[in-house]
Amino acid sequence: MYSKEKPLSQMRIAITAVDLEQAEHRGIAYLSKGLISTLSDLGAEVYLLTGFYGRRLNPLMKLSMSKQSVREVDCADILDQFCDPSNRMKKTKKKKNYDLDEDLIVKLVNKLIHFKNESQIIIELLFSIFRFYLRRGRFSGRLIHLSNFENTPYFGQERVDYLSKVSGFLSIKDIYNYSALRSKRFLFKAPTIDFRKLNIDLLITSCPLCIDVKSNTKHSDSCIQLIMDFIPLSFSKHPDHPFGFYNRLKDAMKTKNCFISKASREKICLLLEKPCSNHENNIIYPMPSLNINKLELASKVKNLRGISKKYILFNSSVVPRKNLHFLVNIFQSSEIASKGFDLCVAGKIHDDKYGLDIKRICESDSRIKLLDYVDETEKAWLFLNAHAFASPSCVEGFGIPVLDAASLGVRVLASDLPSHREIASLVRENHDFRLLDLSNVDKWIYEFNQLNTLDLCMEEEIKDRILNFNSCFKGLKETFETSILDLVT
């Protein structure tokens, strides 16, 4: 029986942590954090399904130690892997294209290294497949409770602040590797997680995965898959291979699923040639990534990284589909660049061709500030003090930074995408939301030039923005909680 105050107090729910294990936390990670916080507030015990595991103790050592000590060591190992940059998962880089004039010996050495690395990968792949079939594709893992997180050495690290809402970890070594192998169809079936002895009622994935669940739950779904977008199929430069991503989508659609926007739902159903359900309960709009505590803290900061001029903000990881090169061109072509405005780019700049091209384009223009990675307090300050926010993405599943800006009441200049239109309807009270066609360069330049006519007293504006955010956040949170309850119950 569900209580009115804590309707999920009788439930144990596992949430996938694959996005939280990445070196860089993007939109999916913020969705996961919002899910964790809300499910915990609604009374559920939340466990992170992770491929991280205890590494320092071998089986013989564990036999000679108390169970409580083993749990403490393994929990510390998992926490360390979530926190330590050297342990985080990194996306595979594409093969380097060597210059034609490169020294022949250097080429040979690099080829030998590449061959050695490939051989090691093949051996590890074959071993993983052997281990999968040895266990008949079924995994129960270890449930490791996380108690008194506030008293651990890892408390206070911004990257893992969401762990204060987590009851523990469900550790299954290589679970995401097995899911990836299934998506490439190297395995004849998806890995099955057996919840029966763990008394876990439900698994929620924050992205489409090739995973099956076996549980004691008889009258409801034991797995809900959240589907963010379709981008690897629609954008050639996305790092995910389209074949693997297609199979992940296909497998996810076999379970109960949910989408983060109507635009994503319609496009994915079209691509998979599936009938599209128009029920509102299979849409769950993400929450803003900003929070009121960081905003109030940031409001007391007078200066950040020497930024002294009015500026337009771009906040996103610098990848091709975010279309930053387009924004730089618009900024440089407008009059605003010569009238005391800067363009601030807050987001990770990767060591790839696109990142290097962006650095090259911007290096001779002192008005463009490439801030690279910013922490949550810095991000809050940048949104609070921005004259406007710009997002010229060419494809999006949703667009959390756009929601962040709109929730504050910051003027938004965004590409006219279906998902951006949905955000505009979510925050109707923001009348400074401009949707612009990417093919109409003159319109973008015109809107940039209009920003110079806005006369903002930033001290008063910051107070208004915090009030706007408070009001907007409450409404979005209520909708988010209702959507989760509809999904889970």
Side-chain angles (χ1 to χ4, degrees):
M1 191 75 181
Y2 299 115
S3 70
K4 191 173 181 180
E5 297 79 12
K6 299 285 186 180
L8 302 182
S9 59
Q10 302 297 316
M11 292 193 74
R12 274 185 162 188
I13 299 175
I15 294 182
T16 55
V18 61
D19 46 300
L20 299 170
E21 294 176 5
Q22 303 293 329
E24 183 183 2
H25 283 180
R26 299 190 187 182
I28 300 178
Y30 288 111
L31 175 59
S32 295
K33 292 173 185 179
L35 274 170
I36 289 166
S37 178
T38 301
L39 287 168
S40 176
D41 291 344
L42 292 170
E45 284 186 44
V46 179
Y47 292 86
L48 287 186
L49 173 62
T50 177
F52 293 153
Y53 57 96
R55 301 172 302 176
R56 289 179 294 165
L57 301 177
N58 62 40
L60 288 175
M61 292 174 180
K62 290 180 179 182
L63 283 173
S64 63
M65 294 173 66
S66 69
K67 288 183 180 180
Q68 186 64 25
S69 296
V70 171
R71 188 210 66 82
E72 187 81 3
V73 173
D74 287 348
C75 189
D77 285 354
I78 292 171
L79 284 170
D80 192 67
Q81 289 169 86
F82 274 108
C83 294
D84 188 352
S86 65
N87 290 320
R88 297 175 196 164
M89 296 168 65
K90 294 181 174 59
K91 290 188 180 294
T92 305
K93 292 184 178 179
K94 293 182 179 179
K95 185 179 177 182
K96 181 180 175 183
N97 293 317
Y98 296 105
D99 296 328
L100 292 174
D101 59 349
E102 188 178 36
D103 185 86
L104 185 61
I105 297 175
V106 175
K107 278 187 177 181
L108 181 61
V109 169
N110 277 307
K111 282 184 177 180
L112 288 171
I113 292 170
H114 185 68
F115 176 76
K116 182 182 177 182
N117 290 341
E118 280 193 342
S119 300
Q120 186 177 350
I121 290 169
I122 291 169
I123 292 169
E124 289 174 356
L125 172 65
L126 292 173
F127 181 76
S128 292
I129 293 173
F130 173 75
R131 185 169 173 265
F132 178 87
Y133 287 119
L134 189 67
R135 303 191 63 167
R136 294 182 295 176
R138 287 195 178 183
F139 305 88
S140 56
R142 288 183 63 215
L143 205 61
I144 301 173
H145 295 278
L146 175 63
S147 56
N148 299 318
F149 175 62
E150 293 79 3
N151 295 324
T152 70
Y154 303 96
F155 180 71
Q157 294 192 35
E158 184 177 81
R159 179 180 165 85
V160 292
D161 55 4
Y162 60 89
L163 289 176
S164 59
K165 300 276 190 174
V166 167
S167 298
F169 306 104
L170 174 55
S171 172
I172 305 178
K173 183 181 177 183
D174 290 334
I175 187 61
Y176 298 125
N177 291 336
Y178 291 134
S179 175
L181 288 172
R182 170 58 187 166
S183 73
K184 297 177 176 68
R185 295 312 191 236
F186 290 147
L187 302 175
F188 76 93
K189 68 171 187 175
T192 299
I193 303 172
D194 192 341
F195 282 162
R196 289 175 298 180
K197 293 181 180 178
L198 303 172
N199 292 321
I200 289 178
D201 303 293
L202 175 69
L203 171 68
I204 301 178
T205 75
S206 56
C207 59
L209 293 171
C210 300
I211 283 180
D212 287 332
V213 171
K214 201 168 188 65
S215 74
N216 293 321
T217 306
K218 296 177 181 178
H219 303 294
S220 63
D221 297 279
S222 55
C223 181
I224 299 173
Q225 299 237 33
L226 268 60
I227 302 174
M228 289 282 284
D229 57 52
F230 48 86
I231 295 169
L233 301 181
S234 299
F235 193 68
S236 182
K237 290 184 174 64
H238 197 279
D240 284 350
H241 195 280
F243 179 72
F245 184 77
Y246 172 83
N247 287 324
R248 284 166 53 201
L249 282 179
K250 189 176 175 182
D251 287 359
M253 292 290 278
K254 294 175 184 176
T255 68
K256 186 174 182 179
N257 48 65
C258 183
F259 304 85
I260 62 161
S261 68
K262 294 175 185 176
S264 285
R265 179 182 64 190
E266 289 166 8
K267 181 73 173 182
I268 289 164
C269 290
L270 176 67
L271 292 171
L272 296 182
E273 298 178 347
K274 298 265 186 187
C276 187
S277 165
N278 291 319
H279 293 302
E280 293 300 322
N281 63 359
N282 70 351
I283 300 292
I284 180 167
Y285 289 114
M287 297 284 288
S289 70
L290 298 171
N291 69 72
I292 193 65
N293 293 332
K294 293 293 184 185
L295 288 169
E296 288 178 346
L297 177 62
S299 68
K300 298 177 175 64
V301 178
K302 298 300 181 187
N303 187 274
L304 176 73
R305 300 202 190 185
I307 298 171
S308 56
K309 296 182 180 179
K310 295 179 285 188
Y311 62 89
I312 300 158
L313 177 63
F314 171 91
N315 173 231
S316 175
S317 181
V318 178
V319 292
R321 70 181 178 87
K322 298 295 183 178
N323 220 5
L324 177 57
H325 58 285
F326 175 89
L327 182 61
V328 169
N329 180 52
I330 296 298
F331 175 77
Q332 292 176 331
S333 301
S334 68
E335 296 171 5
I336 202 170
S338 61
K339 294 188 176 180
F341 278 79
D342 285 340
L343 174 62
C344 288
V345 177
K348 178 69 177 174
I349 302 173
H350 302 276
D351 293 327
D352 54 16
K353 187 178 184 302
Y354 187 75
L356 294 173
D357 284 346
I358 289 295
K359 287 179 181 178
R360 179 180 52 78
I361 293 168
C362 300
E363 64 184 357
S364 59
D365 193 336
S366 61
R367 302 164 302 180
I368 302 175
K369 312 294 185 188
L370 298 180
L371 303 177
D372 206 9
Y373 171 81
V374 295
D375 64 30
E376 293 302 309
T377 305
E378 290 176 318
K379 184 173 81 172
W381 188 93
L382 288 165
F383 272 96
L384 276 179
N385 289 275
H387 215 71
F389 177 85
S391 176
S393 295
C394 57
V395 60
E396 283 287 357
F398 185 69
I400 290 178
V402 174
L403 180 64
D404 285 333
S407 299
L408 286 163
V410 176
R411 171 165 286 206
V412 174
L413 306 177
S415 46
D416 189 7
L417 302 177
S419 58
H420 286 167
R421 287 178 222 141
E422 287 184 64
I423 294 173
S425 69
L426 287 174
V427 285
R428 292 187 185 90
E429 61 272 21
N430 184 350
H431 302 294
D432 283 335
F433 202 118
R434 305 285 190 273
L435 291 167
L436 307 173
D437 189 340
L438 287 173
S439 65
N440 193 341
V441 174
D442 290 341
K443 181 64 175 174
W444 278 86
I445 293 173
Y446 170 79
E447 290 292 345
F448 265 57
N449 289 337
Q450 290 298 107
L451 295 175
N452 190 47
T453 64
L454 293 177
D455 187 20
L456 300 178
C457 172
M458 288 313 299
E459 191 171 332
E460 291 301 317
E461 184 69 18
I462 286 170
K463 292 177 183 176
D464 288 343
R465 288 179 179 183
I466 291 175
L467 290 173
N468 287 338
F469 183 82
N470 249 332
S471 173
C472 188
F473 187 85
K474 286 177 183 176
L476 291 171
K477 184 175 174 61
E478 286 177 10
T479 303
F480 191 72
E481 286 184 353
T482 302
S483 299
I484 288 175
L485 280 173
D486 286 345
L487 266 179
V488 171
T489 61

